[in-house]
């Protein structure tokens, strides 16, 4: 399967995940709106997700996948299987300890994440209770990350990309069926969502097992002390853990930024945490479909190219990924800046979600949109360092960007409130991506191919034309007080989005850009 087909498959399945995630969020927004209890759930859910991004999909994946791909390229499948068994043994025992400690320290974690919830006693206590229920979710997702690393190295992209759909289905079921039942027995309906999260975690881990069995890579866990000790001192384990330390610091910087922003948001107008969460979900569509999909496909390929000292292939992979990223991320960013309110209104303006919620969420979405290109580019550029087992450079850049982001918060938050937090993150991502790109070029790892100047002009010109059309569409229609009915409003939005995409690609074609160059890779 070509790189383009692999990326398209991951992107398509990611789209399915994000659509079901959007349905999940729409249902939660309609049933619960933005309140102290929804803030409590969002904080409680963010805590295990923060640790998941920190350890599972963050430091662990960044360290594990390059080592795994390198061992397979150089030493074959048998050595790779031995590495997987030893890593899995250490990981399982570390997760058991982490989950026990996390449940015990739930009040401290909630206070550290969002002490402002204490403005409502019910909100803080609910967040602690739901954190205790949902913290073991990190255990399921860390093992899913292990499985995904193995399957992606074997170019089995479908199962890892489709797995998140199961969490969304579980949470949708919990909201639609569990919440009314909880209400009928006198329990706050929001607690049903915590049960849905845990069910989703179990389902996501369960579907990995048949896929791993099919390629003969289902890990064997060591339960005796002698096996645990041998696994810990195994050379491959030591290599992965040594890479995890700087990776953990780098991912921690991003999560510290998230923690600080959540803490700040919890002290702003009630509902601010939820407005940012609703905007963040919409941001995940382009970020995941473009950045995550490309990163998932590129990292094992880059690591294999590095392991076999194929520098030309390495540079070509990065160039292809960056061009495809620019082709799709630039118009997406302009769409979020010019068409944010219609998107939020059509997708969220139902039930308890008010016109004010639409406006405030739109401001946050525009803030994120200002940095979409950087957020997506990081997903392509950072694997260029991870594949070289150079994790220290992205860490140093991340620390610098953290300081810059907080400085921007001081400037933006007093003027823009929660939207200032989103804008700081977006602009910080642009700086991060720029420094990563410069670092790869200076090291000689990436040599941009000819034609970048003309390509950028073609993309910018077509994107500007599309943005004018979207801006006109946003101003012409009153999207929050639309009188034509829900289905007509949805249909109108879909027609405008399709029309904008058609206008963009038609403008590219007229400018002479050949899209087939991206398909052939």
């Amino acid at each position: 399967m070509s790189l383009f087909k692999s990326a398209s498959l991951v992107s398509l399945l990611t789209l399915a995940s994000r659509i079901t995630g959007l349905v999940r969020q729409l249902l939660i927004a309609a049933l619960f709106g933005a309140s102290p209890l929804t803030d409590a759930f969002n904080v409680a859910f963010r805590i295990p997700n923060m640790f998941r991004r920190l350890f599972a999909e963050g430091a662990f994946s960044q360290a594990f996948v390059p080592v795994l791909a390198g061992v397979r390229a150089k030493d074959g499948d048998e050595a790779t299987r031995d590495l997987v068994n030893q890593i899995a043994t250490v990981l399982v025992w570390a997760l058991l300890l982490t989950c026990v400690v996390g449940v015990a320290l739930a009040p401290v974690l909630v206070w550290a994440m969002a002490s402002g919830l204490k403005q409502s006693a019910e909100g803080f206590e609910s967040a602690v209770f739901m954190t205790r229920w949902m913290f073991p979710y990190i255990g399921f997702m860390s093992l899913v990350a292990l499985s995904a690393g193995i399957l992606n190295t074997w170019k089995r992209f479908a199962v890892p990309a489709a797995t998140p759909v199961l969490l969304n289905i579980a949470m949708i079921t919990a909201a639609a069926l569990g919440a009314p039942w909880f209400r009928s027995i006198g329990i706050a309906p929001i607690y049903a969502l915590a049960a849905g999260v845990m069910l989703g975690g179990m389902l996501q881990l369960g579907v990995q097992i048949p896929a791993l069995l099919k390629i003969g890579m289902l890990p064997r866990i060591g339960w005796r002390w002698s096996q645990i000790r041998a696994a810990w001192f195994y050379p491959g384990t030591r290599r992965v853990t040594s890479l995890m330390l700087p990776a953990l610091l780098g991912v921690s910087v991003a999560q510290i930024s998230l923690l600080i922003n959540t803490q700040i948001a919890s002290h702003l107008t009630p509902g601010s945490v939820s407005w940012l969460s609703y905007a963040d979900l919409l941001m995940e569509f382009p970020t995941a479909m473009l950045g995550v999909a490309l990163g998932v496909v590129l990292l094992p390929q880059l690591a294999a190219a590095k392991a076999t000292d194929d520098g030309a292939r390495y540079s070509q992979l990065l160039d292809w990924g960056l061009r495809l990223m620019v082709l799709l991320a630039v118009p997406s960013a302009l769409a979020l800046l010019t068409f944010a309110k219609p998107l939020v209104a059509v997708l969220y303006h139902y039930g308890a979600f008010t016109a004010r919620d639409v406006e405030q969420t739109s401001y946050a979405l525009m803030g994120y949109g200002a940095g979409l290109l950087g957020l997506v580019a990081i997903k392509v550029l950072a694997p260029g360092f991870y594949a070289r087992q150079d994790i220290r450079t992205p860490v140093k850049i991340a620390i610098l960007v953290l300081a810059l982001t907080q400085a921007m918060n001081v400037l933006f938050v007093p003027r823009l409130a929660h939207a200032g937090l989103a804008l700081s993150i977006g602009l910080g991502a642009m700086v991060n991506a720029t420094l990563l790109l410069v670092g790869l070029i200076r090291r000689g790892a990436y040599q941009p191919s000819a034609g970048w100047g003309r390509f950028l002009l073609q993309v910018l010109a077509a994107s500007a034309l599309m943005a004018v059309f979207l801006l006109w569409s946003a101003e012409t229609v009153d999207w929050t007080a639309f009188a034509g009915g829900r289905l007509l409003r949805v249909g109108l939005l879909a027609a405008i989005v399709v029309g904008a995409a058609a206008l963009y690609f038609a403008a590219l074609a007229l400018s002479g850009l050949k899209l087939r160059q991206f398909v052939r890779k």
Side-chain angles (χ1 to χ4, degrees), residues 127-199:
V128 170
F129 181 82
M130 287 187 280
T131 298
R132 283 182 167 145
W133 270 100
M134 291 190 287
F135 198 89
Y137 177 70
I138 185 182
F140 295 116
M141 295 314 299
S142 296
L143 294 175
V144 169
L146 172 72
S147 304
I150 298 168
L151 293 170
N152 289 336
T153 301
W154 260 254
K155 298 183 180 180
R156 304 295 200 274
F157 299 109
V159 170
T163 294
V165 173
L166 297 175
L167 171 67
N168 296 327
I169 291 174
M171 292 186 68
I172 289 169
T173 303
L177 303 179
W181 180 64
F182 273 39
R183 183 182 291 109
S184 69
I185 59 176
I187 300 175
I190 197 77
Y191 293 136
L193 297 179
V197 169
M198 289 305 296
L199 175 61

Side-chain angles (χ1 to χ4, degrees), residues 125 153 197 413 493 517:
E125 293 301 323
T153 301
V197 169
V413 172
L493 178 79
Q517 62 182 295

